Amino acid sequence: MKVIKIPQNLKTIIFDIDSTLYTNEEYAFEQVDCQVRRFASERGISNDEARKLVADFREKFARENGGKKISLSNTLLSFGVPIQKSVEWRRELLEPKNFLTRDERLQNTLSALSKKFNLICVTNNPVTPAKKTLVALGVENLISDIIGLDTCNVSKPAREPFLLAAEKCGSHAQECLSVGDRYDLDIAVPLELGMGGVLVEGVADVYSLPDFLQ
């Protein structure tokens, strides 16, 4: 975990979901690969060819942008796949209950945090599969709202989802903390907006948040 900045008057915690509120390498891979396979099918190319196209584009983007990462939806957008199409694919293809189970330790962690802070999620998945993820983990009642890819129709690291999350919680940006596993997508823009940021390596780091946010 890397604690970058904690707001002095913290009121709202904005969580990423995937690879933040759970750690599951198999599902993390499948979330990406099922969309790449669909992209391959629509392009009439092999799955391996599609994987190489996506990987090469992301590597080129990182090389030309100081190592920054690009989201899958923005990668597919560069190949002519509209955001709405990405939303449709994710709604159809993602089924988190096949990979995830209830996490009592996460439940206890978020329950403790919810007694003091507003908790909301900002994700690059659409709201429906994101909610299914929270249900699979058993924490859906501890998160006040989900800002998804289909809420603002832009992908992180866009500013709009983070600003909307703050607005929905009745907080100023300076009163918000963004928690996620990818600096470029989850942390950099919130910091630019005046929010705090905590970079995690997975859910094990999330478990420790109540220790220093009380």
Side-chain angles (χ1 to χ4, degrees):
M1 180 194 300
K2 184 176 182 179
V3 179
I4 300 165
K5 176 185 174 184
I6 305 295
Q8 288 187 344
N9 185 27
L10 177 59
K11 294 182 179 178
T12 294
I13 304 177
I14 302 171
F15 284 103
D16 173 51
I17 296 179
D18 299 295
S19 296
T20 296
L21 295 184
Y22 67 84
T23 302
N24 185 302
E25 292 184 4
E26 184 181 4
Y27 186 42
F29 172 81
E30 178 61 14
Q31 281 196 68
V32 173
D33 202 59
C34 69
Q35 295 175 75
V36 174
R37 296 194 303 267
R38 177 58 61 85
F39 170 63
S41 176
E42 297 217 351
R43 273 287 183 99
I45 59 178
S46 72
N47 292 338
D48 284 342
E49 287 174 313
R51 291 181 184 116
K52 187 175 188 307
L53 277 176
V54 168
D56 287 351
F57 182 89
R58 295 178 109 170
E59 289 173 10
K60 182 174 182 288
F61 180 91
R63 201 166 51 244
E64 295 175 352
N65 291 274
K68 289 183 179 180
K69 296 180 180 179
I70 183 171
S71 69
L72 179 61
S73 52
N74 282 337
T75 299
L76 293 174
L77 184 62
S78 73
F79 289 113
V81 179
I83 291 293
Q84 188 54 45
K85 179 65 72 173
S86 291
V87 167
E88 292 172 6
W89 289 355
R90 293 173 192 232
R91 285 175 178 161
E92 176 189 350
L93 299 171
L94 300 184
E95 196 52 73
K97 70 179 181 181
N98 293 339
F99 298 87
L100 306 176
T101 57
R102 295 176 68 84
D103 184 341
E104 290 188 11
R105 192 170 179 188
L106 179 63
Q107 293 169 6
N108 293 336
T109 297
L110 297 184
S111 179
L113 292 172
S114 69
K115 291 177 171 60
K116 189 171 182 181
F117 309 110
N118 302 310
L119 307 183
I120 191 168
C121 287
V122 170
T123 174
N124 276 348
N125 271 327
V127 170
T128 296
K131 187 170 184 179
K132 288 181 180 180
T133 299
L134 299 185
V135 169
L137 296 170
V139 299
E140 71 277 11
N141 294 327
L142 296 168
I143 300 294
S144 64
D145 208 342
I146 300 170
I147 311 299
L149 182 60
D150 49 346
T151 305
C152 298
N153 292 309
V154 290
S155 176
K156 292 186 291 185
R159 300 160 60 96
E160 292 89 340
F162 296 104
L163 292 173
L164 181 59
E167 179 184 336
K168 281 183 172 286
C169 291
S171 298
H172 298 294
Q174 294 79 5
E175 299 169 330
C176 297
L177 172 68
S178 182
V179 178
D181 67 302
R182 300 169 296 180
Y183 182 87
D184 297 326
L185 274 64
D186 302 316
I187 308 299
V189 166
L191 292 175
E192 292 173 4
L193 294 171
M195 298 180 180
V198 173
L199 182 65
V200 299
E201 294 184 6
V203 71
D205 287 340
V206 173
Y207 296 151
S208 66
L209 288 177
D211 296 338
F212 61 88
L213 291 180
Q214 300 295 337

